[in-house]
Amino acid sequence: INIALYKYLNIFVIVYLDNVLVYLSRILKEYVKHVKKVLTKLKEKKSKFYTIRTKFLEFIISRETIKIDSKKTEVI
């Protein structure tokens, strides 16, 4: 994330691990503009938002369950 957002770091964005903080500007329109820039840049880097299901490490995580990825256990 640091690499994707390097142009904005310490100007209106702070990144720590996978957390992104956009500074609150005194002007709401400016703040919204900054948030849109960050989201656009993250989408370019294949980030996903509002997903119902995702793969993380060897697991498939959804709202209902956490399961081991069956593709990883087929070999066994």
Side-chain angles (χ1 to χ4, degrees):
I1 294 177
N2 278 337
I3 294 168
L5 299 176
Y6 75 94
K7 287 184 356 182
Y8 310 131
L9 289 175
N10 299 323
I11 298 170
F12 59 84
V13 170
I14 295 176
V15 176
Y16 178 73
L17 298 176
D18 63 345
N19 297 299
V20 178
L21 174 69
V22 179
Y23 302 169
L24 179 58
S25 174
R26 293 181 184 204
I27 303 167
L28 182 60
K29 285 183 180 183
E30 187 177 322
Y31 175 72
V32 170
K33 183 174 143 185
H34 290 163
V35 170
K36 286 181 180 180
K37 283 182 179 182
V38 168
L39 291 175
T40 301
K41 195 55 111 167
L42 291 175
K43 282 182 183 178
E44 290 173 6
K45 297 294 180 183
K46 307 284 187 207
S47 297
K48 296 180 182 178
F49 301 96
Y50 306 110
T51 59
I52 295 172
R53 211 173 96 151
T54 190
K55 287 185 180 181
F56 180 72
L57 300 175
E58 304 296 324
F59 298 95
I60 299 174
I61 302 170
S62 69
R63 291 181 186 173
E64 298 83 29
T65 62
I66 299 175
K67 296 180 181 179
I68 296 175
D69 188 358
S70 61
K71 291 180 183 177
K72 302 295 180 180
T73 59
E74 284 177 2
V75 177
I76 298 172

